[in-house]
Amino acid sequence: MQVMNAEWTTTEETAARKAFDIAYKREIGALIDSVRHRASSVNEIDDMWRLHDFLSIKRHEVDGRYDYQLSMLVFVFAGLVKDGWLSIDELEGLSTDKISKIAALASM
Amino acid sequence: MQVMNAEWTTTEETAARKAFDIAYKREIGALIDSVRHRASSVNEIDDMWRLHDFLSIKRHEVDGRYDYQLSMLVFVFAGLVKDGWLSIDELEGLSTDKISKIAALASM
């Protein structure tokens, strides 16, 4: 896909890093709230292992998603927009071509 | 070891099951309290992954320990006494021979 080999200007890299950090902080914050809430509802062993399963899945997702590599960033941003952790507006500073591709991928 | 092949009378089996259930309920109760406490202190991502690691270890320990098999029960009880989840007094109903062996193993 064309955008995978696209050049990133310094301005774009700065904007990308900022958007990436916003999404990361937002998703992790929501995850911490969710873990606290789930933990407060743990009343028996099955609840505890469900919390463990939930953390296993989220750790895998977060580790996979927040691996900052320019070559994959369009796809990462598309996933973040799709899942509601980032809005298209927050990608301001990226080229219109990249933003269009991210929006298109996010809507798939 | 002699005790591994020891016979269990019906009275002993009843006493063993009761002691096993007491320890299980006690350890799981303490674990739930600990998980709730740890979860309430989660403020950042590293705290969350530490909670995940803690749950992984405890799940492995609990699954291994609370596998009720008569042939292994002397060793299971020794571990439970050693770790403070059961007192020797709570094994009342078992033969003095088994209780002596459990106490000896627990003190190793």
Side-chain angles (χ1 to χ4, degrees):
Chain A
M1 195 173 182
Q2 186 59 33
V3 81
M4 278 188 72
N5 301 314
E7 293 287 321
W8 291 74
T9 65
T10 307
T11 307
E12 281 187 312
E13 281 198 40
T14 305
R17 186 75 237 188
K18 189 179 166 192
F20 186 88
D21 291 344
I22 285 171
Y24 179 79
K25 197 171 171 184
R26 193 174 279 153
E27 183 166 1
I28 298 306
L31 189 51
I32 288 173
D33 288 347
S34 174
V35 166
R36 283 182 175 174
H37 177 70
R38 283 166 185 261
S40 70
S41 310
V42 166
N43 289 312
E44 52 186 270
I45 192 164
D46 286 346
D47 301 331
M48 201 158 51
W49 299 159
R50 268 193 289 274
L51 174 63
H52 179 242
D53 290 340
F54 174 78
L55 281 167
S56 299
I57 292 165
K58 289 299 171 185
R59 192 172 194 169
H60 183 74
E61 281 179 7
V62 165
D63 283 351
R65 170 174 266 169
Y66 293 100
D67 179 19
Y68 189 88
Q69 294 184 50
L70 279 184
S71 63
M72 293 306 288
L73 220 42
V74 163
F75 300 103
V76 170
F77 282 145
L80 291 170
V81 171
K82 189 180 181 72
D83 292 347
W85 299 116
L86 202 63
S87 69
I88 287 288
D89 294 347
E90 288 168 321
L91 292 167
E92 194 186 339
L94 270 58
S95 70
T96 50
D97 179 55
K98 286 193 187 70
I99 290 177
S100 299
K101 288 192 169 143
I102 291 166
L105 286 165
S107 68
M108 277 181 187
Chain B
M1 193 173 181
Q2 186 58 33
V3 82
M4 277 189 73
N5 301 313
E7 293 287 321
W8 291 74
T9 65
T10 308
T11 307
E12 282 186 312
E13 281 198 39
T14 306
R17 187 76 238 188
K18 188 179 167 194
F20 186 88
D21 291 344
I22 287 172
Y24 179 79
K25 197 172 172 184
R26 193 174 281 153
E27 182 167 2
I28 298 306
L31 189 51
I32 288 173
D33 288 347
S34 174
V35 166
R36 283 182 174 175
H37 177 71
R38 283 165 186 264
S40 70
S41 309
V42 166
N43 289 311
E44 52 186 271
I45 193 164
D46 286 346
D47 302 331
M48 199 159 52
W49 299 159
R50 268 192 290 274
L51 174 64
H52 178 243
D53 290 339
F54 175 78
L55 281 167
S56 298
I57 292 165
K58 290 298 173 186
R59 192 171 195 170
H60 183 74
E61 281 179 7
V62 166
D63 283 351
R65 170 174 267 171
Y66 292 99
D67 179 18
Y68 189 88
Q69 293 184 49
L70 279 184
S71 64
M72 294 306 288
L73 219 43
V74 163
F75 300 104
V76 169
F77 283 146
L80 290 170
V81 170
K82 189 181 181 71
D83 292 348
W85 299 115
L86 202 63
S87 70
I88 287 289
D89 294 347
E90 288 168 321
L91 293 167
E92 195 185 338
L94 270 59
S95 69
T96 50
D97 180 55
K98 286 194 188 69
I99 292 179
S100 298
K101 288 192 170 144
I102 291 166
L105 286 165
S107 68
M108 277 181 186

PDB file of all heavy atoms in Angstrom, chain A residues 8-42:
ATOM      1  N   TRP A   8       7.589  10.851   6.035  1.00  0.00           N
ATOM      2  CA  TRP A   8       7.006  11.635   7.135  1.00  0.00           C
ATOM      3  C   TRP A   8       7.894  12.850   7.353  1.00  0.00           C
ATOM      4  O   TRP A   8       9.089  12.712   7.618  1.00  0.00           O
ATOM      5  CB  TRP A   8       6.961  10.808   8.428  1.00  0.00           C
ATOM      6  CG  TRP A   8       5.965   9.678   8.380  1.00  0.00           C
ATOM      7  CD1 TRP A   8       6.091   8.512   7.696  1.00  0.00           C
ATOM      8  CD2 TRP A   8       4.686   9.641   9.033  1.00  0.00           C
ATOM      9  NE1 TRP A   8       4.976   7.733   7.879  1.00  0.00           N
ATOM     10  CE2 TRP A   8       4.097   8.393   8.702  1.00  0.00           C
ATOM     11  CE3 TRP A   8       3.977  10.514   9.857  1.00  0.00           C
ATOM     12  CZ2 TRP A   8       2.837   8.008   9.172  1.00  0.00           C
ATOM     13  CZ3 TRP A   8       2.734  10.123  10.334  1.00  0.00           C
ATOM     14  CH2 TRP A   8       2.169   8.893   9.981  1.00  0.00           C
ATOM     15  N   THR A   9       7.304  14.020   7.243  1.00  0.00           N
ATOM     16  CA  THR A   9       8.068  15.237   7.527  1.00  0.00           C
ATOM     17  C   THR A   9       8.236  15.361   9.045  1.00  0.00           C
ATOM     18  O   THR A   9       7.548  14.675   9.818  1.00  0.00           O
ATOM     19  CB  THR A   9       7.328  16.483   7.012  1.00  0.00           C
ATOM     20  OG1 THR A   9       6.102  16.607   7.760  1.00  0.00           O
ATOM     21  CG2 THR A   9       6.997  16.379   5.527  1.00  0.00           C
ATOM     22  N   THR A  10       9.136  16.246   9.441  1.00  0.00           N
ATOM     23  CA  THR A  10       9.358  16.453  10.885  1.00  0.00           C
ATOM     24  C   THR A  10       8.080  16.945  11.555  1.00  0.00           C
ATOM     25  O   THR A  10       7.740  16.511  12.660  1.00  0.00           O
ATOM     26  CB  THR A  10      10.494  17.487  11.091  1.00  0.00           C
ATOM     27  OG1 THR A  10      11.626  17.055  10.346  1.00  0.00           O
ATOM     28  CG2 THR A  10      10.884  17.589  12.561  1.00  0.00           C
ATOM     29  N   THR A  11       7.362  17.829  10.865  1.00  0.00           N
ATOM     30  CA  THR A  11       6.093  18.335  11.404  1.00  0.00           C
ATOM     31  C   THR A  11       5.099  17.193  11.590  1.00  0.00           C
ATOM     32  O   THR A  11       4.417  17.102  12.621  1.00  0.00           O
ATOM     33  CB  THR A  11       5.478  19.369  10.420  1.00  0.00           C
ATOM     34  OG1 THR A  11       6.452  20.350  10.145  1.00  0.00           O
ATOM     35  CG2 THR A  11       4.232  20.019  11.012  1.00  0.00           C
ATOM     36  N   GLU A  12       5.050  16.328  10.605  1.00  0.00           N
ATOM     37  CA  GLU A  12       4.128  15.182  10.702  1.00  0.00           C
ATOM     38  C   GLU A  12       4.530  14.238  11.839  1.00  0.00           C
ATOM     39  O   GLU A  12       3.681  13.736  12.567  1.00  0.00           O
ATOM     40  CB  GLU A  12       4.119  14.409   9.381  1.00  0.00           C
ATOM     41  CG  GLU A  12       3.283  15.062   8.314  1.00  0.00           C
ATOM     42  CD  GLU A  12       3.185  14.169   7.087  1.00  0.00           C
ATOM     43  OE1 GLU A  12       4.232  13.661   6.635  1.00  0.00           O
ATOM     44  OE2 GLU A  12       2.060  13.983   6.587  1.00  0.00           O
ATOM     45  N   GLU A  13       5.819  14.022  11.962  1.00  0.00           N
ATOM     46  CA  GLU A  13       6.280  13.127  13.035  1.00  0.00           C
ATOM     47  C   GLU A  13       5.906  13.680  14.408  1.00  0.00           C
ATOM     48  O   GLU A  13       5.490  12.935  15.296  1.00  0.00           O
ATOM     49  CB  GLU A  13       7.800  12.924  12.948  1.00  0.00           C
ATOM     50  CG  GLU A  13       8.182  11.915  11.881  1.00  0.00           C
ATOM     51  CD  GLU A  13       9.599  11.378  12.081  1.00  0.00           C
ATOM     52  OE1 GLU A  13       9.992  11.121  13.235  1.00  0.00           O
ATOM     53  OE2 GLU A  13      10.306  11.222  11.077  1.00  0.00           O
ATOM     54  N   THR A  14       6.051  14.986  14.559  1.00  0.00           N
ATOM     55  CA  THR A  14       5.696  15.629  15.835  1.00  0.00           C
ATOM     56  C   THR A  14       4.200  15.470  16.107  1.00  0.00           C
ATOM     57  O   THR A  14       3.784  15.112  17.219  1.00  0.00           O
ATOM     58  CB  THR A  14       6.071  17.131  15.805  1.00  0.00           C
ATOM     59  OG1 THR A  14       7.449  17.237  15.474  1.00  0.00           O
ATOM     60  CG2 THR A  14       5.809  17.796  17.142  1.00  0.00           C
ATOM     61  N   ALA A  15       3.391  15.720  15.059  1.00  0.00           N
ATOM     62  CA  ALA A  15       1.933  15.602  15.203  1.00  0.00           C
ATOM     63  C   ALA A  15       1.539  14.151  15.493  1.00  0.00           C
ATOM     64  O   ALA A  15       0.649  13.884  16.311  1.00  0.00           O
ATOM     65  CB  ALA A  15       1.247  16.094  13.930  1.00  0.00           C
ATOM     66  N   ALA A  16       2.236  13.227  14.831  1.00  0.00           N
ATOM     67  CA  ALA A  16       1.926  11.808  15.005  1.00  0.00           C
ATOM     68  C   ALA A  16       2.243  11.362  16.441  1.00  0.00           C
ATOM     69  O   ALA A  16       1.446  10.670  17.073  1.00  0.00           O
ATOM     70  CB  ALA A  16       2.726  10.970  14.014  1.00  0.00           C
ATOM     71  N   ARG A  17       3.402  11.769  16.908  1.00  0.00           N
ATOM     72  CA  ARG A  17       3.808  11.381  18.269  1.00  0.00           C
ATOM     73  C   ARG A  17       2.802  11.920  19.287  1.00  0.00           C
ATOM     74  O   ARG A  17       2.443  11.235  20.255  1.00  0.00           O
ATOM     75  CB  ARG A  17       5.209  11.937  18.546  1.00  0.00           C
ATOM     76  CG  ARG A  17       5.836  11.520  19.843  1.00  0.00           C
ATOM     77  CD  ARG A  17       6.335  10.072  19.784  1.00  0.00           C
ATOM     78  NE  ARG A  17       5.740   9.268  20.823  1.00  0.00           N
ATOM     79  CZ  ARG A  17       6.104   8.019  21.116  1.00  0.00           C
ATOM     80  NH1 ARG A  17       7.042   7.406  20.425  1.00  0.00           N
ATOM     81  NH2 ARG A  17       5.506   7.368  22.070  1.00  0.00           N
ATOM     82  N   LYS A  18       2.357  13.162  19.045  1.00  0.00           N
ATOM     83  CA  LYS A  18       1.395  13.786  19.964  1.00  0.00           C
ATOM     84  C   LYS A  18       0.068  13.008  19.957  1.00  0.00           C
ATOM     85  O   LYS A  18      -0.475  12.686  21.018  1.00  0.00           O
ATOM     86  CB  LYS A  18       1.158  15.248  19.533  1.00  0.00           C
ATOM     87  CG  LYS A  18       0.346  16.050  20.525  1.00  0.00           C
ATOM     88  CD  LYS A  18       0.183  17.489  20.035  1.00  0.00           C
ATOM     89  CE  LYS A  18      -0.913  18.195  20.834  1.00  0.00           C
ATOM     90  NZ  LYS A  18      -1.282  19.470  20.196  1.00  0.00           N
ATOM     91  N   ALA A  19      -0.417  12.686  18.771  1.00  0.00           N
ATOM     92  CA  ALA A  19      -1.697  11.953  18.658  1.00  0.00           C
ATOM     93  C   ALA A  19      -1.569  10.560  19.278  1.00  0.00           C
ATOM     94  O   ALA A  19      -2.467  10.086  19.980  1.00  0.00           O
ATOM     95  CB  ALA A  19      -2.101  11.838  17.186  1.00  0.00           C
ATOM     96  N   PHE A  20      -0.428   9.920  19.017  1.00  0.00           N
ATOM     97  CA  PHE A  20      -0.153   8.587  19.560  1.00  0.00           C
ATOM     98  C   PHE A  20      -0.206   8.627  21.094  1.00  0.00           C
ATOM     99  O   PHE A  20      -0.846   7.780  21.742  1.00  0.00           O
ATOM    100  CB  PHE A  20       1.242   8.167  19.075  1.00  0.00           C
ATOM    101  CG  PHE A  20       1.648   6.755  19.406  1.00  0.00           C
ATOM    102  CD1 PHE A  20       1.331   5.700  18.559  1.00  0.00           C
ATOM    103  CD2 PHE A  20       2.394   6.476  20.553  1.00  0.00           C
ATOM    104  CE1 PHE A  20       1.738   4.398  18.845  1.00  0.00           C
ATOM    105  CE2 PHE A  20       2.791   5.176  20.844  1.00  0.00           C
ATOM    106  CZ  PHE A  20       2.471   4.135  19.996  1.00  0.00           C
ATOM    107  N   ASP A  21       0.449   9.628  21.663  1.00  0.00           N
ATOM    108  CA  ASP A  21       0.499   9.743  23.127  1.00  0.00           C
ATOM    109  C   ASP A  21      -0.877  10.052  23.723  1.00  0.00           C
ATOM    110  O   ASP A  21      -1.209   9.560  24.804  1.00  0.00           O
ATOM    111  CB  ASP A  21       1.514  10.814  23.550  1.00  0.00           C
ATOM    112  CG  ASP A  21       2.952  10.382  23.257  1.00  0.00           C
ATOM    113  OD1 ASP A  21       3.181   9.175  23.033  1.00  0.00           O
ATOM    114  OD2 ASP A  21       3.841  11.258  23.238  1.00  0.00           O
ATOM    115  N   ILE A  22      -1.656  10.869  23.005  1.00  0.00           N
ATOM    116  CA  ILE A  22      -3.025  11.184  23.463  1.00  0.00           C
ATOM    117  C   ILE A  22      -3.848   9.902  23.540  1.00  0.00           C
ATOM    118  O   ILE A  22      -4.513   9.621  24.546  1.00  0.00           O
ATOM    119  CB  ILE A  22      -3.713  12.196  22.500  1.00  0.00           C
ATOM    120  CG1 ILE A  22      -3.138  13.599  22.707  1.00  0.00           C
ATOM    121  CG2 ILE A  22      -5.237  12.202  22.705  1.00  0.00           C
ATOM    122  CD1 ILE A  22      -3.606  14.618  21.657  1.00  0.00           C
ATOM    123  N   ALA A  23      -3.781   9.111  22.470  1.00  0.00           N
ATOM    124  CA  ALA A  23      -4.580   7.870  22.420  1.00  0.00           C
ATOM    125  C   ALA A  23      -4.121   6.905  23.510  1.00  0.00           C
ATOM    126  O   ALA A  23      -4.943   6.275  24.193  1.00  0.00           O
ATOM    127  CB  ALA A  23      -4.459   7.223  21.048  1.00  0.00           C
ATOM    128  N   TYR A  24      -2.801   6.795  23.653  1.00  0.00           N
ATOM    129  CA  TYR A  24      -2.242   5.878  24.648  1.00  0.00           C
ATOM    130  C   TYR A  24      -2.729   6.255  26.045  1.00  0.00           C
ATOM    131  O   TYR A  24      -3.245   5.423  26.786  1.00  0.00           O
ATOM    132  CB  TYR A  24      -0.707   5.944  24.594  1.00  0.00           C
ATOM    133  CG  TYR A  24      -0.013   5.055  25.594  1.00  0.00           C
ATOM    134  CD1 TYR A  24       0.127   3.694  25.360  1.00  0.00           C
ATOM    135  CD2 TYR A  24       0.531   5.568  26.771  1.00  0.00           C
ATOM    136  CE1 TYR A  24       0.769   2.867  26.262  1.00  0.00           C
ATOM    137  CE2 TYR A  24       1.184   4.754  27.686  1.00  0.00           C
ATOM    138  CZ  TYR A  24       1.303   3.399  27.423  1.00  0.00           C
ATOM    139  OH  TYR A  24       1.936   2.588  28.329  1.00  0.00           O
ATOM    140  N   LYS A  25      -2.584   7.523  26.378  1.00  0.00           N
ATOM    141  CA  LYS A  25      -2.989   8.006  27.706  1.00  0.00           C
ATOM    142  C   LYS A  25      -4.484   7.766  27.924  1.00  0.00           C
ATOM    143  O   LYS A  25      -4.921   7.348  28.995  1.00  0.00           O
ATOM    144  CB  LYS A  25      -2.668   9.506  27.802  1.00  0.00           C
ATOM    145  CG  LYS A  25      -2.644  10.044  29.204  1.00  0.00           C
ATOM    146  CD  LYS A  25      -2.114  11.472  29.228  1.00  0.00           C
ATOM    147  CE  LYS A  25      -2.307  12.059  30.627  1.00  0.00           C
ATOM    148  NZ  LYS A  25      -1.900  13.465  30.691  1.00  0.00           N
ATOM    149  N   ARG A  26      -5.267   8.002  26.876  1.00  0.00           N
ATOM    150  CA  ARG A  26      -6.721   7.845  26.961  1.00  0.00           C
ATOM    151  C   ARG A  26      -7.109   6.376  27.154  1.00  0.00           C
ATOM    152  O   ARG A  26      -7.918   6.044  28.018  1.00  0.00           O
ATOM    153  CB  ARG A  26      -7.332   8.388  25.660  1.00  0.00           C
ATOM    154  CG  ARG A  26      -8.807   8.591  25.682  1.00  0.00           C
ATOM    155  CD  ARG A  26      -9.240   9.267  24.371  1.00  0.00           C
ATOM    156  NE  ARG A  26      -9.023  10.703  24.374  1.00  0.00           N
ATOM    157  CZ  ARG A  26      -8.809  11.440  23.275  1.00  0.00           C
ATOM    158  NH1 ARG A  26      -8.756  10.873  22.080  1.00  0.00           N
ATOM    159  NH2 ARG A  26      -8.635  12.744  23.371  1.00  0.00           N
ATOM    160  N   GLU A  27      -6.515   5.509  26.341  1.00  0.00           N
ATOM    161  CA  GLU A  27      -6.878   4.089  26.434  1.00  0.00           C
ATOM    162  C   GLU A  27      -6.413   3.499  27.769  1.00  0.00           C
ATOM    163  O   GLU A  27      -7.162   2.747  28.415  1.00  0.00           O
ATOM    164  CB  GLU A  27      -6.306   3.282  25.252  1.00  0.00           C
ATOM    165  CG  GLU A  27      -6.753   1.820  25.328  1.00  0.00           C
ATOM    166  CD  GLU A  27      -6.527   1.009  24.053  1.00  0.00           C
ATOM    167  OE1 GLU A  27      -5.993   1.542  23.075  1.00  0.00           O
ATOM    168  OE2 GLU A  27      -6.906  -0.172  24.067  1.00  0.00           O
ATOM    169  N   ILE A  28      -5.189   3.830  28.180  1.00  0.00           N
ATOM    170  CA  ILE A  28      -4.673   3.284  29.441  1.00  0.00           C
ATOM    171  C   ILE A  28      -5.492   3.812  30.625  1.00  0.00           C
ATOM    172  O   ILE A  28      -5.815   3.068  31.564  1.00  0.00           O
ATOM    173  CB  ILE A  28      -3.166   3.619  29.621  1.00  0.00           C
ATOM    174  CG1 ILE A  28      -2.341   2.974  28.502  1.00  0.00           C
ATOM    175  CG2 ILE A  28      -2.666   3.167  30.997  1.00  0.00           C
ATOM    176  CD1 ILE A  28      -2.527   1.487  28.342  1.00  0.00           C
ATOM    177  N   GLY A  29      -5.856   5.073  30.570  1.00  0.00           N
ATOM    178  CA  GLY A  29      -6.686   5.647  31.641  1.00  0.00           C
ATOM    179  C   GLY A  29      -8.016   4.921  31.765  1.00  0.00           C
ATOM    180  O   GLY A  29      -8.448   4.565  32.871  1.00  0.00           O
ATOM    181  N   ALA A  30      -8.637   4.658  30.618  1.00  0.00           N
ATOM    182  CA  ALA A  30      -9.931   3.950  30.623  1.00  0.00           C
ATOM    183  C   ALA A  30      -9.747   2.514  31.124  1.00  0.00           C
ATOM    184  O   ALA A  30     -10.592   1.974  31.851  1.00  0.00           O
ATOM    185  CB  ALA A  30     -10.522   3.941  29.219  1.00  0.00           C
ATOM    186  N   LEU A  31      -8.624   1.917  30.743  1.00  0.00           N
ATOM    187  CA  LEU A  31      -8.331   0.540  31.149  1.00  0.00           C
ATOM    188  C   LEU A  31      -8.128   0.459  32.667  1.00  0.00           C
ATOM    189  O   LEU A  31      -8.643  -0.462  33.327  1.00  0.00           O
ATOM    190  CB  LEU A  31      -7.090   0.065  30.385  1.00  0.00           C
ATOM    191  CG  LEU A  31      -6.708  -1.401  30.473  1.00  0.00           C
ATOM    192  CD1 LEU A  31      -7.887  -2.315  30.169  1.00  0.00           C
ATOM    193  CD2 LEU A  31      -5.556  -1.699  29.505  1.00  0.00           C
ATOM    194  N   ILE A  32      -7.402   1.408  33.212  1.00  0.00           N
ATOM    195  CA  ILE A  32      -7.178   1.430  34.669  1.00  0.00           C
ATOM    196  C   ILE A  32      -8.518   1.580  35.408  1.00  0.00           C
ATOM    197  O   ILE A  32      -8.792   0.864  36.371  1.00  0.00           O
ATOM    198  CB  ILE A  32      -6.178   2.556  35.051  1.00  0.00           C
ATOM    199  CG1 ILE A  32      -4.768   2.165  34.606  1.00  0.00           C
ATOM    200  CG2 ILE A  32      -6.209   2.838  36.561  1.00  0.00           C
ATOM    201  CD1 ILE A  32      -3.717   3.252  34.764  1.00  0.00           C
ATOM    202  N   ASP A  33      -9.357   2.479  34.910  1.00  0.00           N
ATOM    203  CA  ASP A  33     -10.692   2.645  35.525  1.00  0.00           C
ATOM    204  C   ASP A  33     -11.472   1.334  35.473  1.00  0.00           C
ATOM    205  O   ASP A  33     -12.116   0.943  36.448  1.00  0.00           O
ATOM    206  CB  ASP A  33     -11.496   3.736  34.800  1.00  0.00           C
ATOM    207  CG  ASP A  33     -10.965   5.126  35.101  1.00  0.00           C
ATOM    208  OD1 ASP A  33     -10.151   5.258  36.051  1.00  0.00           O
ATOM    209  OD2 ASP A  33     -11.343   6.070  34.387  1.00  0.00           O
ATOM    210  N   SER A  34     -11.400   0.669  34.322  1.00  0.00           N
ATOM    211  CA  SER A  34     -12.134  -0.579  34.140  1.00  0.00           C
ATOM    212  C   SER A  34     -11.616  -1.669  35.078  1.00  0.00           C
ATOM    213  O   SER A  34     -12.400  -2.426  35.670  1.00  0.00           O
ATOM    214  CB  SER A  34     -12.012  -1.013  32.677  1.00  0.00           C
ATOM    215  OG  SER A  34     -12.591  -2.272  32.484  1.00  0.00           O
ATOM    216  N   VAL A  35     -10.293  -1.751  35.214  1.00  0.00           N
ATOM    217  CA  VAL A  35      -9.692  -2.774  36.083  1.00  0.00           C
ATOM    218  C   VAL A  35     -10.083  -2.522  37.544  1.00  0.00           C
ATOM    219  O   VAL A  35     -10.456  -3.450  38.265  1.00  0.00           O
ATOM    220  CB  VAL A  35      -8.149  -2.809  35.916  1.00  0.00           C
ATOM    221  CG1 VAL A  35      -7.480  -3.607  37.024  1.00  0.00           C
ATOM    222  CG2 VAL A  35      -7.803  -3.413  34.559  1.00  0.00           C
ATOM    223  N   ARG A  36     -10.040  -1.274  37.952  1.00  0.00           N
ATOM    224  CA  ARG A  36     -10.449  -0.953  39.332  1.00  0.00           C
ATOM    225  C   ARG A  36     -11.906  -1.335  39.576  1.00  0.00           C
ATOM    226  O   ARG A  36     -12.250  -1.901  40.609  1.00  0.00           O
ATOM    227  CB  ARG A  36     -10.280   0.546  39.594  1.00  0.00           C
ATOM    228  CG  ARG A  36      -8.845   0.953  39.822  1.00  0.00           C
ATOM    229  CD  ARG A  36      -8.851   2.437  40.125  1.00  0.00           C
ATOM    230  NE  ARG A  36      -7.552   2.954  40.479  1.00  0.00           N
ATOM    231  CZ  ARG A  36      -7.306   4.234  40.668  1.00  0.00           C
ATOM    232  NH1 ARG A  36      -8.276   5.117  40.527  1.00  0.00           N
ATOM    233  NH2 ARG A  36      -6.111   4.643  40.994  1.00  0.00           N
ATOM    234  N   HIS A  37     -12.744  -1.004  38.616  1.00  0.00           N
ATOM    235  CA  HIS A  37     -14.171  -1.306  38.739  1.00  0.00           C
ATOM    236  C   HIS A  37     -14.399  -2.816  38.787  1.00  0.00           C
ATOM    237  O   HIS A  37     -15.124  -3.319  39.649  1.00  0.00           O
ATOM    238  CB  HIS A  37     -14.939  -0.687  37.570  1.00  0.00           C
ATOM    239  CG  HIS A  37     -16.402  -1.005  37.587  1.00  0.00           C
ATOM    240  ND1 HIS A  37     -17.253  -0.471  38.529  1.00  0.00           N
ATOM    241  CD2 HIS A  37     -17.146  -1.828  36.810  1.00  0.00           C
ATOM    242  CE1 HIS A  37     -18.465  -0.956  38.313  1.00  0.00           C
ATOM    243  NE2 HIS A  37     -18.426  -1.781  37.284  1.00  0.00           N
ATOM    244  N   ARG A  38     -13.764  -3.546  37.860  1.00  0.00           N
ATOM    245  CA  ARG A  38     -13.916  -5.002  37.835  1.00  0.00           C
ATOM    246  C   ARG A  38     -13.394  -5.624  39.127  1.00  0.00           C
ATOM    247  O   ARG A  38     -13.993  -6.557  39.665  1.00  0.00           O
ATOM    248  CB  ARG A  38     -13.143  -5.597  36.647  1.00  0.00           C
ATOM    249  CG  ARG A  38     -13.846  -5.404  35.321  1.00  0.00           C
ATOM    250  CD  ARG A  38     -12.911  -5.702  34.153  1.00  0.00           C
ATOM    251  NE  ARG A  38     -13.561  -5.404  32.892  1.00  0.00           N
ATOM    252  CZ  ARG A  38     -14.130  -6.297  32.106  1.00  0.00           C
ATOM    253  NH1 ARG A  38     -14.133  -7.560  32.433  1.00  0.00           N
ATOM    254  NH2 ARG A  38     -14.712  -5.939  30.990  1.00  0.00           N
ATOM    255  N   ALA A  39     -12.255  -5.128  39.608  1.00  0.00           N
ATOM    256  CA  ALA A  39     -11.664  -5.700  40.822  1.00  0.00           C
ATOM    257  C   ALA A  39     -12.565  -5.475  42.035  1.00  0.00           C
ATOM    258  O   ALA A  39     -12.666  -6.337  42.907  1.00  0.00           O
ATOM    259  CB  ALA A  39     -10.283  -5.098  41.068  1.00  0.00           C
ATOM    260  N   SER A  40     -13.231  -4.334  42.065  1.00  0.00           N
ATOM    261  CA  SER A  40     -14.108  -4.051  43.213  1.00  0.00           C
ATOM    262  C   SER A  40     -15.328  -4.978  43.209  1.00  0.00           C
ATOM    263  O   SER A  40     -15.988  -5.143  44.238  1.00  0.00           O
ATOM    264  CB  SER A  40     -14.544  -2.583  43.205  1.00  0.00           C
ATOM    265  OG  SER A  40     -15.435  -2.350  42.144  1.00  0.00           O
ATOM    266  N   SER A  41     -15.632  -5.579  42.062  1.00  0.00           N
ATOM    267  CA  SER A  41     -16.775  -6.497  41.955  1.00  0.00           C
ATOM    268  C   SER A  41     -16.371  -7.966  42.096  1.00  0.00           C
ATOM    269  O   SER A  41     -17.194  -8.851  41.892  1.00  0.00           O
ATOM    270  CB  SER A  41     -17.466  -6.320  40.596  1.00  0.00           C
ATOM    271  OG  SER A  41     -17.736  -4.969  40.353  1.00  0.00           O
ATOM    272  N   VAL A  42     -15.101  -8.220  42.392  1.00  0.00           N
ATOM    273  CA  VAL A  42     -14.639  -9.605  42.538  1.00  0.00           C
ATOM    274  C   VAL A  42     -15.152 -10.164  43.866  1.00  0.00           C
ATOM    275  O   VAL A  42     -14.799  -9.663  44.933  1.00  0.00           O
ATOM    276  CB  VAL A  42     -13.090  -9.688  42.475  1.00  0.00           C
ATOM    277  CG1 VAL A  42     -12.593 -11.049  42.954  1.00  0.00           C
ATOM    278  CG2 VAL A  42     -12.588  -9.420  41.066  1.00  0.00           C
TER     279      VAL A  42
END
